[in-house]
Amino acid sequence: MTNHWADMQHCKAILVEGSNAAENHVMAMKWIRKAQENGAIIIHVDPRFTRTSAGADIFARIRPGADAAFLNAMINHILENKLYDQDYVETHTNALMIGNADFDFKDGLFSGYDEEGHKYKTDTWGYQLDGSGKPRHATSLDDPHCVFSTLRKFFARYTLEVGERMSGIPAAQIKLIAETMAKHRPGTILYALGMTQHTTAVQGIRAFTIFQLLLGNIGKPGGGVNALRGEPNVQGACDMAVLNNYMPGYLNYPVHTEPTLAAWTVNNGSLRRKYLVNTLKAFYGDAATAENEFCYAWLPKRNSAKDYSAYGIFESALAGNMKLLWIAGQNPAVSSPNLKLVFEALGNLETLVVQELWETETAAFWKRPGVDPKSVKTEVFLLPAAFFMEKQGTITNSGAMVQWRYKAVPPPGQAKPDGEIVDIVYRRVRDLLKDSTDPKDQIVKRAFWTYTTPEDVLREINGRALHDIPGTDLKAGTLASRIADLKADGSTSSGCWIYAGVFSKGENLSKRRDHRTDPGKLGLYPNFGWTWPNNMRVLYNRASCDRHGKPYPGSKPIVWWDEEAKRWTGYDVPDVPVITDGPNTPNGQRAFHMNAEGVARLFAAVYKDPEPASDDLWRDASYVPKDGPLPEMYEPVESPVENPMHPKVRNNPMLKYPRVGSIHQPIGTAKDFPYVLMTSTVAEHWCGGSTTRNNPWLNELMPEPVCEIPEVLGSKLSVKSGDWVKVSSARGEVEVKAVVTPRMQPLQIAGQQVIIVWMPYNWGFQGLSTGPSVNHLTIDAVDPGAGTQETKACLVNVVKVRDASARRSDPRGRRA
Ligand SMILES: Nc1nc2c(c(=O)[nH]1)N[C@H]1C(S)=C(S)[C@@H](COP(=O)(O)OP(=O)(O)OC[C@H]3O[C@@H](n4cnc5c(=O)[nH]c(N)nc54)[C@H](O)[C@@H]3O)O[C@H]1N2
Ligand SMILES: Nc1nc2c(c(=O)[nH]1)N[C@H]1C(S)=C(S)[C@@H](COP(=O)(O)OP(=O)(O)OC[C@H]3O[C@@H](n4cnc5c(=O)[nH]c(N)nc54)[C@H](O)[C@@H]3O)O[C@H]1N2
Ligand SMILES: [Mo]
């Protein structure tokens, strides 16, 4: 999220695309409704008519995976009709920078495509530089060489008619949505899995960013691009490096070509080095010294050719390259796509440890329906874990707000909080290694590990001074109260730099609950919980002001330059590199100061600032999507239509699929599997369902999985609601009841009728309510950059099995 939940009340328009907020983010709905009461227009773009659509002013039905076509057509409409915010675009984006003359896009490929290496060479994706290595600037957006002209040319292909042909949304409605968003500013975009579970996930979100930047909607109250995150603490988990390619705080995880800290620093800059040093001090304490590069050598290095994601893990296990897998708080035997591969992989392990509340499908995979337990050699341990109300600690929400939660009841039986389980296992392993002289065991033996409570862990994450630090009020042991307190020389330690300040003057700010203090009446509540970084609530808020530091008219003032006090000030923490560097200085114009250019990037250029990096300011190379600097429409891996834009490059050219051969990862075609399957969750169950399917009341509300089909398909197959159907894909088949409904409707795509069906993914063979898992059908192709699975679009066939009156043949769910 760039903004935060309560901020949505300030929106004048809200585009909800790829999210069913009413059923999955009920608290978001509270603020969406408030905006609506204030006159905001709510737009919902979705393949299925849900409770979110029912509350919207405009509902547009889209084909799964065709969002880029719709968004690009809207962007083109904004550009062609000059509906953009010219001052914002010139001041706060790279629109005026001169692009590399050799950059090109042809037949679905950006310049630099290396077919053999299966990657892009990005040397034409940059700017023309002046003598000092800075991008050259045009004086007008009409300059044919500036980034803005590149944009105009690129998006010109996406007329409203092309948008309609590929997405299924009528041209007039695309125009209406673009003009509504342009007229009602500031507006926001809310998204979730409908956008991300695709092999073009990153590109779709890039299109959001471009659209919002053109409208001048980033950095303002009521603006932004807001990801509605899923699992309660998914934000906190990502912050703490649950993502396999990051250290805590999104520092790139060291790879094998970076054997030393010095080598890592060349690639990541000295600012990030400072934070990595703080993390290493938190990991290794006194063992980490400047002389030994803070024990950097002890970190195992990633092999950049290997896939360490959940998919890579199962593929390693499948190949017999993994002995032990420890799964905590995840139920992949229901929630991962292409379950056949997952089950086979689990069966190839020697040991599986499952740390759980229940004996889930994952823990019970060895006795799943249709399998003889004797044939599975994997030894399974089930460690009983405490649920959220049985332990204390923090949860970080989508707005990066860290909030403390208290224990309400003790855990049952032998169940323990996850932190305690990890602590027990760690100490036991350290004891076992006591006499080891193997250098690789140092990482365990010398770890700085002294925790007794979750709050100790949060203090370690926050960071502290290790010595008295001259010239500051930091004495040995003082907790850091902001990021700027962290030092580069090893005199401070901080487990996760972005959390520095969650403690202030010894107080745990995540426990604050002041819901009254609200300067500016913006809903910021600065004394409620604590948000990273530095308790800032709206990211990029400097961009809410013009080049002179004055708030743009039309949106509520949030920060501004105070000429008398000679500093940035306002209701929120100003998002500027130096608080006293005013709008007449280069720093004062860097509203997007983490980008090397200092401005937002309509075109995601390859660029590194030539100025020597400083310890305190961002002067960094910027992130460039692997699959191109501008968003292009590519078809899902399994799609019933060709790609009329570039038939030879139908799918994302950076896609790798199948990764382990077509036996394990087959691709179905429309000839055998004519319908598009879209999957999602339901209001009444939670994800893989182990918690909710063990609750009789919820089971009564939503007793079993179904396949929802449009009326045209119902008539074609002579299927009524309640009849049994077999749904099959190239990977498996399941038998469920059909629900024939007007919520699903066919779409006309490129002159042909496309039928979309829907299934929930919340069932499996364990618990009080059992039923077949839809993930037997789904495809495990992933986005090349983000690694998200394409569980929103694959091809299936649907055939009638028997009438409603017949019973399901296997009540525990049919095996694929
Ligand atoms: N009650 C309840 N709440 C939950 C959860 C739960 O299981 N139950 N799960 C939590 C979790 S982990 C998450 S990640 C979030 C998920 O929150 P959402 O992302 O809202 O979850 P989904 O149900 O997957 O809904 C995505 C929406 O995108 C639509 N969609 C599918 N494909 C496309 C497409 O290609 N384009 C567009 N524009 N739309 C598409 C679907 O029809 C659906 O309405 O919810 C969280 N909240
Ligand atoms: N087809 C399809 N597949 C999908 C999706 C989809 O839309 N379509 N959505 C995807 C998404 S967004 C997500 S997030 C995943 C979710 O996939 P999972 O993470 O596998 O789903 P959950 O059911 O939330 O699993 C969490 C498990 O943790 C256990 N648990 C809960 N609290 C604790 C705790 O405090 N400690 C421990 N140790 N265990 C605990 C629960 O009992 C549960 O079994 O599914 C993905 N799979
Ligand atoms: Mo999720």
Side-chain angles (χ1 to χ4, degrees):
M1 267 187 166
T2 53
N3 295 40
H4 59 100
W5 298 102
D7 184 69
M8 290 173 198
Q9 62 183 304
H10 306 302
C11 302
K12 293 183 185 149
I14 300 181
L15 170 60
V16 184
E17 183 166 352
S19 164
N20 183 1
E23 299 186 47
N24 301 332
H25 292 95
V26 283
M27 289 313 287
M29 258 354 247
K30 168 176 163 174
W31 300 107
I32 295 172
R33 293 260 187 258
K34 187 142 188 202
Q36 203 170 23
E37 280 164 21
N38 296 339
I41 314 285
I42 314 298
I43 303 158
H44 188 217
V45 177
D46 203 289
R48 180 167 174 250
F49 189 91
T50 64
R51 288 166 172 122
T52 307
S53 331
D57 301 289
I58 301 173
F59 171 67
R61 193 182 293 278
I62 192 169
R63 174 170 68 100
D67 295 83
F70 158 69
L71 289 166
N72 287 3
M74 291 220 297
I75 292 171
N76 185 46
H77 189 74
I78 299 290
L79 290 170
E80 291 277 305
N81 296 283
K82 295 197 169 17
L83 299 175
Y84 46 84
D85 180 338
Q86 188 176 338
D87 188 83
Y88 186 101
V89 165
E90 290 182 357
T91 310
H92 295 306
T93 78
N94 64 355
L96 285 171
M97 295 181 180
I98 309 276
N100 184 315
D102 295 328
F103 171 77
D104 197 12
F105 178 83
K106 231 173 98 198
D107 300 333
L109 295 171
F110 294 91
S111 44
Y113 186 64
D114 161 14
E115 193 161 358
E116 236 167 67
H118 193 75
K119 60 174 194 277
Y120 278 110
K121 289 199 207 81
T122 57
D123 40 327
T124 58
W125 298 7
Y127 304 111
Q128 293 183 32
L129 305 177
D130 64 16
S132 60
K134 303 269 183 192
R136 288 179 47 216
H137 277 73
T139 49
S140 142
L141 294 177
D142 292 328
D143 185 307
H145 306 295
C146 72
V147 157
F148 202 68
S149 295
T150 308
L151 237 65
R152 264 197 297 245
K153 184 174 159 220
F154 180 84
F155 289 106
R157 297 171 298 135
Y158 288 94
T159 59
L160 295 172
E161 289 65 36
V162 166
E164 168 169 337
R165 256 179 92 71
M166 297 181 79
S167 74
I169 303 178
Q173 206 179 22
I174 301 177
K175 179 166 178 274
L176 172 71
I177 297 173
E179 290 180 1
T180 304
M181 290 298 288
K183 193 164 153 214
H184 301 270
R185 295 183 233 185
T188 196
I189 298 183
L190 310 181
Y191 75 94
L193 306 180
M195 289 299 293
T196 56
Q197 291 180 345
H198 288 292
T199 49
T200 50
V202 171
Q203 295 298 354
I205 312 310
R206 279 283 304 146
F208 280 165
T209 314
I210 294 170
F211 185 75
Q212 288 294 71
L213 287 169
L214 289 174
L215 296 185
N217 273 341
I218 304 280
K220 296 175 178 174
V225 175
N226 289 307
L228 310 182
R229 307 212 59 174
E231 298 276 355
N233 195 30
V234 61
Q235 181 68 49
C238 294
D239 298 344
M240 296 303 148
V242 90
L243 299 168
N244 68 81
N245 51 336
Y246 288 120
M247 294 286 287
Y250 306 97
L251 303 173
N252 283 325
Y253 195 89
V255 292
H256 70 290
T257 49
E258 298 160 341
T260 61
L261 181 58
W264 186 89
T265 307
V266 170
N267 293 337
N268 293 280
S270 62
L271 182 68
R272 287 193 169 96
R273 176 191 189 276
K274 167 160 90 171
Y275 302 133
L276 183 62
V277 166
N278 276 277
T279 299
L280 291 169
K281 285 298 291 181
F283 282 9
Y284 303 122
D286 288 341
T289 63
E291 292 67 45
N292 66 17
E293 286 199 312
F294 303 99
C295 301
Y296 174 89
W298 289 356
L299 293 176
K301 306 295 176 289
R302 283 169 67 94
N303 175 339
S304 32
K306 261 182 140 175
D307 178 2
Y308 299 88
S309 74
Y311 312 96
I313 287 174
F314 287 117
E315 285 160 19
S316 276
L318 181 75
N321 295 333
M322 188 173 288
K323 290 187 176 167
L324 182 150
L325 181 57
W326 181 357
I327 299 180
Q330 200 186 335
N331 188 11
V334 172
S335 60
S336 282
N338 194 5
L339 282 178
K340 187 160 175 265
L341 187 156
V342 172
F343 284 125
E344 217 175 308
L346 291 173
N348 279 357
L349 296 165
E350 278 176 23
T351 311
L352 173 67
V353 181
V354 179
Q355 186 171 316
E356 256 293 346
L357 316 177
W358 315 92
E359 188 187 28
T360 57
E361 287 78 0
T362 304
F365 87 95
W366 53 278
K367 51 178 174 178
R368 66 190 184 275
V371 164
D372 175 7
K374 287 199 217 72
S375 70
V376 179
K377 65 175 180 18
T378 314
E379 188 177 12
V380 182
F381 295 90
L382 180 58
L383 303 179
F387 206 8
F388 67 92
M389 68 297 216
E390 296 158 356
K391 57 188 176 189
Q392 56 167 339
T394 63
I395 293 268
T396 305
N397 77 12
S398 303
M401 182 186 282
V402 189
Q403 295 177 71
W404 193 264
R405 288 200 184 169
Y406 297 86
K407 174 173 157 177
V409 288
Q414 295 178 24
K416 287 191 174 17
D418 294 287
E420 262 179 57
I421 298 177
V422 174
D423 188 57
I424 292 168
V425 174
Y426 166 72
R427 288 174 200 270
R428 184 89 182 93
V429 170
R430 189 175 58 185
D431 286 350
L432 290 170
L433 296 177
K434 199 164 71 262
D435 303 321
S436 161
T437 51
D438 189 337
K440 83 171 183 318
D441 293 336
Q442 294 293 328
I443 189 169
V444 177
K445 291 178 67 179
R446 302 289 305 271
F448 182 77
W449 188 289
T450 58
Y451 318 111
T452 48
T453 67
E455 211 162 10
D456 290 342
V457 179
L458 190 63
R459 276 193 203 92
E460 184 83 289
I461 287 167
N462 176 87
R464 64 184 191 288
L466 301 169
H467 319 286
D468 294 358
I469 300 177
T472 72
D473 51 7
L474 293 170
K475 305 273 170 264
T478 314
L479 294 177
S481 55
R482 56 201 178 116
I483 294 171
D485 285 346
L486 305 180
K487 305 294 169 212
D489 60 0
S491 55
T492 57
S493 99
S494 163
C496 182
W497 65 281
I498 53 180
Y499 279 62
V502 64
F503 278 88
S504 180
K505 304 201 170 53
E507 186 195 352
N508 179 348
L509 301 186
S510 75
K511 290 182 171 170
R512 296 185 302 179
R513 292 295 180 271
D514 175 355
H515 55 88
R516 294 209 165 78
T517 312
D518 183 21
K521 295 272 164 288
L522 285 174
L524 298 172
Y525 303 105
N527 303 326
F528 190 100
W530 179 88
T531 51
W532 67 260
N534 292 326
N535 207 28
M536 186 184 294
R537 308 275 156 141
V538 175
L539 298 179
Y540 315 114
N541 56 34
R542 159 69 183 89
S544 67
C545 298
D546 64 15
R547 69 195 68 197
H548 310 294
K550 287 205 179 59
Y552 279 116
S555 66
K556 302 198 171 181
I558 178 164
V559 299
W560 53 88
W561 172 252
D562 182 338
E563 188 52 45
E564 251 166 54
K566 294 274 179 271
R567 59 192 294 128
W568 292 93
T569 184
Y571 304 121
D572 197 4
V573 176
D575 194 355
V576 292
V578 180
I579 197 90
T580 49
D581 282 0
N584 55 350
T585 68
N587 273 334
Q589 294 298 344
R590 291 176 67 91
F592 295 83
H593 54 102
M594 288 173 67
N595 279 346
E597 301 92 324
V599 291
R601 301 180 317 142
L602 291 169
F603 176 94
V606 173
Y607 177 63
K608 206 168 173 174
D609 193 305
E611 271 180 29
S614 110
D615 276 356
D616 296 310
L617 293 182
W618 290 96
R619 279 285 188 279
D620 256 321
S622 304
Y623 170 77
V624 179
K626 278 186 186 162
D627 40 9
L630 291 168
E632 180 61 6
M633 169 69 203
Y634 299 107
E635 286 297 321
V637 175
E638 289 187 346
S639 165
V641 296
E642 292 310 312
N643 186 334
M645 303 295 277
H646 23 76
K648 285 201 198 113
V649 184
R650 184 173 183 242
N651 308 121
N652 188 333
M654 290 301 291
L655 176 84
K656 283 198 184 117
Y657 198 80
R659 297 177 299 270
V660 291
S662 54
I663 295 191
H664 295 291
Q665 293 173 325
I667 298 177
T669 63
K671 188 169 84 34
D672 302 319
F673 305 102
Y675 314 119
V676 175
L677 170 70
M678 194 271 283
T679 66
S680 67
T681 189
V682 294
E684 297 78 2
H685 286 289
W686 187 270
C687 296
S690 32
T691 41
T692 49
R693 281 188 289 109
N694 280 308
N695 178 324
W697 295 278
L698 292 172
N699 289 339
E700 211 173 311
L701 286 170
M702 195 55 78
E704 61 188 305
V706 292
C707 180
E708 199 168 280
I709 65 176
E711 283 158 348
V712 278
L713 187 59
S715 332
K716 186 175 157 200
L717 303 176
S718 306
V719 164
K720 323 176 281 317
S721 287
D723 288 351
W724 290 91
V725 289
K726 184 174 84 184
V727 189
S728 57
S729 77
R731 292 155 293 279
E733 59 181 55
V734 298
E735 229 176 82
V736 289
K737 279 184 194 158
V739 173
V740 184
T741 145
R743 285 193 294 246
M744 304 302 292
Q745 295 277 341
L747 289 170
Q748 280 303 120
I749 305 295
Q752 90 192 54
Q753 189 187 55
V754 170
I755 288 180
I756 302 146
V757 304
W758 171 84
M759 288 182 70
Y761 81 95
N762 316 84
W763 272 268
F765 56 86
Q766 288 285 97
L768 297 182
S769 164
T770 59
S773 304
V774 73
N775 278 325
H776 282 297
L777 310 178
T778 53
I779 189 164
D780 53 348
V782 302
D783 177 88
T788 42
Q789 55 196 36
E790 196 152 64
T791 28
K792 291 293 184 246
C794 71
L795 290 178
V796 293
N797 195 13
V798 182
V799 294
K800 182 169 170 174
V801 187
R802 57 191 173 276
D803 276 337
S805 50
R807 285 181 62 79
R808 185 163 76 200
S809 49
D810 174 1
R812 291 185 79 209
R814 229 182 113 122
R815 196 169 54 94

